[in-house]
């Protein structure tokens, strides 16, 4: 009798899981809106799912709990510290649960180093930055952005000057969420210097969400490096690398972390992470991919993504869709489609009048072709008389990228040569 | 050539993983110190490891990202809301990354509801509680504990009275980290009332780390219930339930969450969680176990754990080891062994002069026998002349539990009947 019940229950649950798996396959196939690399195979690691792997507390200090993956975690951290040019004995870091945890950590370190510092961040920064300010009871100042989505350093200078008696804690974006814009770190540093800030009076957290990992592989891209006076860098692990669950990498300077930490005997571990119990599987996923692909493998993938993003931009422009693609970015911004079912199918992230597609390693040219064809079809269907009205998104993407009837003439006649400059020029 | 390199690399990595797996098996076998149920089989779910499952933002609000497990998450949350007696339309919650995130969330909600509230928590509270106060820039007051590890309500009354012009935010422990003590919620509520606090001037967060899930299955245990004026309850998912990675469940009242949230168009999701991207696998693990074991399955496991903990206490006492086992607890506190290798092997969590073992569903009587025998052996080895010196831990466990030469006479002569009362009596 009990066996029957168990059997029925097992069959019922297996049915639910099979149906669920089917929707996951479908949803994964038509995904374009979020910067997640959905193309990975961690079959070799499925043997580890039977273990409760937990990296309690600090990755560099052994705790008493033996079922951990600290050795993999430290390996991954070493790799990133090298990538961002910080010496082994001078860095500290850990694998976080997501990009938000990285931002929460970086800004907290900044606040502990400069307790009466004011947080500055561009209005295109990830919402977790302003959430941090609220959580930590910090004064936060929103700085304007340029059309590209980059921080407007003229506005930054004005706002900084007004408050120059207080230290500054800055969030600098290496790839904003919506437009994939890269803040000009060098200009930010120059602005600080100009207003009279010495290095002991500012702290910079670099939110490298997606591009923090891509940019080091792009020739002539400005470098994310600790040789500049930055305090911390965070990057997501589930984005470009790809991982079954969200995770991230946080690297900061050892000297800052001593301010934050205190001893907790229970764990036999210094308490400098935000979370106490930490997912021990994520570091192994990251270790596995870093080792399998290697530096060269990443480089190839980054180049392919940028190439495909450019291809998507061109196809949209040909189809008379307003479109913006920032240099060094694989985030293609375009008019928000009118059809909600289409947005849902392709899982586009939208904001106001624009939407974006992020070209990740899992996005092929074939997928992009399907997407553009369907987008045109959907648009034509919305205007059955054949007279398609292209919305004006000039405020979001600028006159040269808007395809509405007013701005079309400015944007369309570009020679292929001029376009190609977009990629070959260094940061302008 | 490239294939050769790939082949070599694959073989190298497979070797590392095989060795790693072996240590995990070993470490899992000899684990006693942390409250993790290491006995689970999620083989049926390994098919889902190929998907990047992410429950962005609020579990109750659909986001545009399609590869999620919100339906499983909400199912798990419903189960816990029912367990803790909060109506479906009155609760809000989410699956967290660990117990710390639950405490960070509960205390943040408390602070947003009562912005000038003072945080009160017993000194045996989890370190994340005081970490939260520091992060959130709240005034925090440490309250003394009784020998059992419970909050000392006389001290609480004194400290509360001194600050009665300010609202109170309380952390109440349902199972402290070290001693597994359960704070007396009813006495805490009475104290608040006595000092003159009405319900609009306090907020209670219940840290149910481990026992929040066990207590509902123990007859005559005081109830964790939202019928009492509490604001939030958190519990860990990887502890009693068992899960490959840390996770937790957070339940609070809907009316409180509206204070915290704001709209974030990018995600099409209300931002009331601490993390933005959230592990979508954890809810499926929890869903799977809750459904497979059911209420009755959990009840049986809880009873077995309490029985085995009592068995361990008895065996230690027979061996003349100072030992404390709180009622309703499966955390057995005893003298810190002198041998560091032994502590490491069994992965015991230590604090000062005491250590503890937590009897979880994965801990069998055979394992406990092995542990006790080895402990005795190690102790005898430390005193080769046969004259074992038992350390005095009277300050940690009280005279009736200390086995040192001074207190031995008080602790040992207990009739079996008297002992058994320990379990059958209701909370005293």
């Amino acid at each position: 009798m009990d066996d029957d019940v168990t059997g029925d229950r097992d069959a019922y649950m297996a049915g639910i899981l099979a149906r669920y798996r089917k929707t996951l396959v479908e949803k994964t196939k038509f995904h374009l809106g979020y910067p997640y690399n959905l193309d990975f195979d961690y079959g070799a690691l499925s043997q580890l799912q039977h273990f409760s792997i937990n990296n309690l507390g600090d990755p560099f200090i052994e705790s008493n709990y033996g079922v951990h993956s600290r050795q993999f975690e430290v390996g991954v951290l070493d790799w990133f510290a090298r990538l961002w040019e910080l010496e082994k004995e001078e860095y500290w870091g850990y694998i976080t649960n997501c990009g938000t945890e990285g931002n929460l950590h970086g800004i907290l370190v900044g606040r502990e180093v400069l307790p009466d510092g004011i947080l500055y961040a561009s209005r295109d920064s990830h919402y977790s930055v302003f959430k941090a300010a609220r959580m930590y009871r910090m004064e936060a100042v929103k700085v304007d952005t340029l059309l590209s989505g980059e921080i407007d350093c003229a506005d930054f200078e004005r706002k900084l000057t007004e408050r120059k008696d207080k230290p500054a804690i800055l969030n600098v974006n290496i790839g904003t969420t919506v437009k994939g814009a890269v803040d000009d770190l060098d200009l930010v540093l120059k602005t600080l210097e100009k207003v009279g800030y010495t290095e002991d009076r500012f702290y910079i957290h670099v939110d490298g969400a997606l591009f923090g990992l891509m940019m080091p592989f792009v020739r002539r891209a400005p470098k994310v490096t600790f040789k500049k006076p930055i305090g911390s860098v965070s990057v997501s692990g589930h984005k470009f690398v790809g991982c079954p669950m969200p995770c991230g990498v946080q690297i900061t300077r050892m000297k800052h972390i001593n301010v934050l930490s205190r001893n907790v005997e229970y764990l036999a571990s210094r308490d400098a992470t935000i979370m106490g119990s930490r997912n021990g599987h994520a570091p192994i996923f990251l270790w596995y991919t870093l080792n399998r692909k290697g530096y060269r493998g990443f480089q190839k993938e980054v180049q392919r993504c940028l190439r495909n993003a450019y291809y998507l931009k061109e196809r949209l422009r040909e189809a008379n869709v307003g479109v913006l693609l920032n240099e060094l970015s694989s985030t293609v911004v375009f008019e928000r489609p009118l059809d909600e079912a289409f947005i849902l199918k392709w899982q586009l992230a939208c904001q106001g009048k624009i939407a974006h597609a992020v070209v990740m390693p899992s996005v092929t040219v074939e997928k992009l072709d399907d997407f553009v064809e369907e987008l045109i079809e959907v648009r034509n269907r919305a205007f059955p008389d054949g007279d398609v009205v292209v919305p004006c998104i000039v405020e979001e993407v600028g006159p040269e990228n808007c395809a509405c009837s007013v701005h079309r003439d400015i944007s369309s006649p570009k020679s292929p040569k001029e376009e190609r400059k977009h990629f070959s020029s260094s940061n302008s």
Side-chain angles (χ1 to χ4, degrees), chain A residues 47 122 134 157 233 294 317 319 382-383 393 422 426:
Chain A
Q47 53 176 323
S122 87
R134 181 167 163 185
E157 187 182 331
V233 179
R317 187 159 282 186
F383 299 97
I393 53 170
H422 188 86
S426 77

Side-chain angles (χ1 to χ4, degrees), chain A residues 72-344:
Chain A
F72 293 94
E73 184 172 18
V74 172
V76 171
L77 295 173
D78 282 350
W79 195 92
F80 278 93
R82 233 177 3 250
L83 190 71
W84 297 326
E85 305 185 306
L86 192 53
E87 292 297 320
K88 220 169 162 157
E89 56 280 7
E90 283 174 24
Y91 93 83
W92 182 90
Y94 75 107
I95 309 257
T96 60
N97 285 296
C98 57
T100 291
E101 188 177 350
N103 288 341
L104 290 182
H105 193 272
I107 293 167
L108 183 61
V109 170
R111 194 201 67 178
E112 295 295 291
V113 172
L114 301 168
D116 59 342
I118 293 174
L119 178 68
Y120 297 85
S122 87
R123 58 179 69 259
D124 279 17
S125 301
H126 191 251
Y127 66 92
S128 60
V129 171
F130 301 106
K131 177 155 79 172
R134 181 167 163 185
M135 278 171 70
Y136 300 154
R137 290 186 158 161
M138 297 167 76
E139 192 184 334
V141 175
K142 262 189 195 168
V143 180
D144 289 342
T145 46
L146 306 176
L147 257 182
S148 65
E150 278 171 73
I151 190 167
D152 176 353
C153 278
D155 188 56
F156 175 49
E157 187 182 331
R158 256 191 312 277
K159 287 170 174 161
L160 191 64
T161 307
E162 283 168 18
R163 296 161 182 85
K164 69 175 172 195
D165 53 317
K166 290 270 185 74
I169 296 163
L170 268 102
N171 176 74
V172 166
N173 299 303
I174 305 295
T176 57
T177 319
V178 175
K179 291 182 176 175
V182 176
D183 288 346
D184 188 337
L185 176 59
D186 293 327
L187 195 55
V188 165
L189 288 167
K190 262 186 214 145
T191 308
L192 282 161
E193 201 189 336
K194 193 173 162 195
V195 181
Y197 277 78
T198 45
E199 285 186 20
D200 58 322
R201 290 192 67 237
F202 67 82
Y203 180 96
I204 293 179
H205 170 66
V206 176
D207 178 4
L210 168 63
F211 296 150
L213 181 48
M214 293 175 71
M215 276 181 55
F217 300 103
V218 182
R219 251 186 303 249
R220 276 174 303 191
K223 254 191 167 176
V224 179
T225 171
F226 277 92
K227 292 192 172 151
K228 296 175 184 172
I230 58 174
S232 45
V233 179
S234 58
V235 74
S236 295
H238 58 297
K239 290 184 178 165
F240 196 78
V241 179
C243 187
M245 70 279 295
C247 62
V249 175
Q250 177 70 359
I251 299 280
T252 181
R253 294 178 196 272
M254 182 62 100
K255 65 176 181 186
H256 294 325
I257 219 60
N258 297 325
V259 180
L260 196 78
S261 57
R262 60 187 182 83
N263 280 298
V264 179
E265 198 192 9
Y266 171 69
L267 291 181
S269 182
R270 190 175 60 182
D271 178 28
T273 60
I274 289 195
M275 294 305 163
S277 287
R278 298 188 302 105
N279 184 349
H281 292 269
I284 308 176
F285 289 123
L286 296 182
W287 170 84
Y288 187 80
T289 302
L290 295 184
N291 275 283
R292 283 221 66 184
K293 295 192 176 165
Y295 194 94
R296 268 189 58 199
F298 276 109
Q299 197 164 36
K300 271 189 200 163
E301 283 197 338
V302 169
Q303 284 164 352
R304 188 156 49 88
C305 287
L306 294 177
R307 215 163 42 230
N308 289 351
Y310 182 76
Y311 174 80
L312 173 60
K313 185 193 77 167
E314 286 298 286
R315 290 239 29 203
L316 288 171
R317 187 159 282 186
E318 280 163 22
N320 207 29
V321 174
V323 59
L324 166 76
L325 172 63
N326 274 310
E327 194 181 15
L328 307 170
S329 170
S330 69
T331 301
V332 181
V333 177
F334 52 94
E335 310 158 16
R336 182 183 192 141
L338 297 167
D339 189 306
E340 282 301 315
F342 177 81
I343 289 174
L344 264 179

